[in-house]
Amino acid sequence: MILHELEVRDFRNYKSLQLTLSPDVNIFVGQNAQGKTNILESISMLALAKSHRTHRDSEMIRWEAERAYIAGRLARDERTYTLDLTILPKGKKARVNQVEKRKISDFVGHLNIVLFAPEDLMLVKGGPQARRRFLDVEIGQVSPHYLYNLTQYTKVLLQRNNLLKEAGKGSAKNELIQMLAIWDEQMSVYAAKIISKRVSFLQRLQEFASEIHSRITGEQEELQLHYQSALYRECPSPAELPAYIFDELQKKQKYDLQRGTTSIGPHRDDIEVWINGRNVHTYGSQGQQRTAALSMKLAEIELIRHEVGEYPVLLLDDVLSELDESRQLHLLQSMGERVQTLITTTTTYGIEQFMREKAHVYRVREGVITREGS
Ligand SMILES: Nc1ncnc2c1ncn2[C@@H]1O[C@H](COP(=O)(O)OP(=O)(O)OP(=O)(O)O)[C@@H](O)[C@H]1O
Ligand SMILES: [Mg+2]
């Protein structure tokens, strides 16, 4: 799908803006605090009706203004849609083709995006929590079932942990331990579903991610993703997973009681990221870790295409400067061919020729955007 036009009024530091976008690569160049991220944020509002930066919509209304307005003209499935969103101090109004959508869920989903923000660069380098969150968010986008199982699991986990803490204090022990068995049973069912889904998702993601990673690195690096879970690894067969997890939870009861927390389960699992046969978390350079994070996120583009039949629009906020020149070029070239890409950057070092020949380039300065070479 292609976002052809973007119009913005009184949004963040933009008073009024009208842009015609290239279906290929669009590069927004400007110094810090000029409004580059704000542009991408306005597009993510059109896609998701929520911002990746704030939970308070009113923050996005320009300081002196009463309301913010964002509109876009989108081509998908050989049709054109106009999407617009008015943000008021209290609430927002969303329309598709001038028809108001009272339920935001009827608005969301027309425009699909994949957004890569600077904090996503920590996906590989950071702790396991970020990678579990990545799995939960990405799988959740395509599987409501998964979200349901995850919510149930989280509830049961909380209850089990509360019980462990109580029982640890020594009050009415036997009764509590009997109740624990009931939670263990429920937990093992949800845990098995979550683990199985994550394993199969990661296998699919890895096919795309490894291809993309190889392209960005000029065929120098082979990326592999493994789901890391002691339960999954040691269980004799996938079909036996619920029963196996139940047994393990029972075995761990004494240990868990001492600690007052549940020591095994998908809430402790991780993704291992390997490049050329070695764990990048341990052995990778900063650049390798960042590239791997980018490849994992870009793989989502292909997954979305499989789900909805069209490529989403790719928004890359400030990732170029984190990569060396050759990786920057490979990235721009490989994406521009198939996916409409909007990218922000403070420096254009190393990509000048690409910009001249292949991209729309926009200078961003104090909330004003001018297209270069037009
Ligand atoms: N509601 C608002 N009204 C007016 N200006 C705002 C509002 N919210 C944020 N701004 C301003 O928008 C400016 C630009 O923000 P933005 O995050 O887009 O910068 P950027 O170009 O991405 O910079 P960087 O390179 O540092 O990431 C900030 O200086 C901020 O003060
Ligand atoms: Mg920014």
Side-chain angles (χ1 to χ4, degrees):
M1 61 190 71
I2 307 291
L3 185 67
H4 285 291
E5 316 263 354
L6 178 71
E7 188 188 341
V8 157
R9 282 200 301 267
D10 292 326
F11 179 86
R12 295 279 189 193
N13 67 336
Y14 289 95
K15 214 169 176 168
S16 166
L17 170 75
Q18 211 145 8
L19 283 182
T20 303
L21 296 166
S22 159
D24 304 315
V25 177
N26 299 271
I27 303 178
F28 295 86
V29 189
Q31 299 194 321
N32 295 137
Q34 302 304 308
K36 301 183 300 299
T37 302
N38 292 346
I39 284 291
L40 303 189
E41 187 183 36
S42 74
I43 294 171
S44 77
M45 285 299 290
L46 281 184
L48 310 168
K50 65 178 186 220
S51 161
H52 66 292
R53 293 207 289 192
T54 176
H55 296 295
R56 260 176 300 156
D57 290 343
S58 59
E59 270 174 36
M60 289 175 276
I61 304 172
R62 194 173 61 85
W63 291 325
E64 288 84 15
E66 282 168 9
R67 60 179 65 193
Y69 176 78
I70 313 161
R73 189 165 62 81
L74 173 76
R76 70 175 287 175
D77 313 321
E78 286 157 29
R79 292 178 60 185
T80 300
Y81 297 86
T82 56
L83 307 174
D84 71 77
L85 195 69
T86 304
I87 306 170
L88 299 152
K90 288 200 177 112
K92 58 200 160 201
K93 222 173 70 188
R95 301 193 309 170
V96 178
N97 295 335
Q98 270 79 45
V99 179
E100 187 172 347
K101 300 290 174 191
R102 292 193 177 275
K103 278 196 283 175
I104 284 294
S105 56
D106 292 336
F107 175 80
V108 172
H110 287 84
L111 171 61
N112 299 123
I113 57 163
V114 168
L115 168 77
F116 192 90
E119 52 272 23
D120 294 319
L121 288 164
M122 289 298 290
L123 182 62
V124 175
K125 193 185 174 180
Q129 207 174 352
R131 288 180 291 279
R132 283 193 295 266
R133 210 185 105 77
F134 169 80
L135 284 172
D136 294 342
V137 170
E138 305 312 336
I139 302 173
Q141 275 196 47
V142 289
S143 167
H145 235 80
Y146 178 83
L147 280 186
Y148 172 78
N149 290 327
L150 190 65
T151 313
Q152 295 304 104
Y153 178 79
T154 312
K155 273 191 206 156
V156 181
L157 176 64
L158 191 74
Q159 274 159 331
R160 186 180 194 266
N161 285 346
N162 285 340
L163 200 63
L164 286 169
K165 283 192 193 93
E166 247 178 79
K169 285 183 210 144
S171 51
K173 233 173 184 166
N174 279 340
E175 213 174 284
L176 291 177
I177 285 174
Q178 274 169 5
M179 272 173 74
L180 210 51
I182 301 172
W183 293 131
D184 289 358
E185 174 119 40
Q186 289 195 22
M187 242 178 106
S188 54
V189 173
Y190 293 120
K193 285 184 180 167
I194 292 167
I195 293 174
S196 308
K197 187 72 189 182
R198 285 183 181 172
V199 169
S200 65
F201 171 83
L202 216 52
Q203 276 164 354
R204 264 179 82 201
L205 192 81
Q206 116 116 22
E207 285 169 34
F208 297 126
S210 68
E211 197 189 310
I212 291 165
H213 192 86
S214 161
R215 249 187 279 138
I216 299 177
T217 60
E219 260 112 71
Q220 295 296 303
E221 294 182 3
E222 195 203 342
L223 180 78
Q224 285 181 325
L225 306 173
H226 303 287
Y227 189 63
Q228 193 196 23
S229 155
L231 289 171
Y232 189 76
R233 193 176 48 241
E234 278 149 31
C235 177
S237 83
E240 289 168 68
L241 198 53
Y244 181 79
I245 296 175
F246 179 73
D247 287 346
E248 289 300 302
L249 281 168
Q250 299 267 290
K251 276 190 215 158
K252 281 274 183 325
Q253 252 183 26
K254 210 168 148 200
Y255 180 85
D256 286 355
L257 273 165
Q258 278 164 1
R259 268 148 228 262
T261 183
T262 304
S263 56
I264 50 166
H267 64 289
R268 291 291 173 94
D269 292 349
D270 199 354
I271 306 173
E272 270 186 14
V273 185
W274 293 52
I275 286 177
N276 296 343
R278 284 188 205 283
N279 191 326
V280 200
H281 187 77
T282 320
Y283 294 109
S285 75
Q286 296 241 39
Q288 280 179 315
Q289 291 171 339
R290 289 172 182 149
T291 312
L294 190 59
S295 303
M296 287 167 71
K297 198 76 198 219
L298 294 177
E300 207 190 314
I301 295 174
E302 303 290 340
L303 284 182
I304 289 182
R305 191 178 76 115
H306 276 242
E307 294 298 322
V308 308
E310 285 201 40
Y311 278 114
V313 176
L314 175 63
L315 310 176
L316 296 173
D317 194 11
D318 227 356
V319 289
L320 284 186
S321 57
E322 306 288 345
L323 305 174
D324 68 30
E325 252 175 76
S326 107
R327 288 181 186 210
Q328 288 183 19
L329 275 177
H330 284 303
L331 170 69
L332 290 172
Q333 268 151 359
S334 68
M335 285 306 130
E337 275 166 21
R338 47 179 115 194
V339 184
Q340 186 184 29
T341 304
L342 280 76
I343 193 159
T344 73
T345 183
T346 49
T347 95
T348 60
Y349 179 74
I351 55 166
E352 285 92 355
Q353 193 185 348
F354 179 89
M355 297 201 320
R356 267 195 308 276
E357 291 168 5
K358 303 250 173 66
H360 275 201
V361 179
Y362 307 88
R363 297 276 158 190
V364 185
R365 198 156 173 266
E366 290 178 19
V368 176
I369 296 190
T370 40
R371 165 112 188 263
E372 241 176 45
S374 66

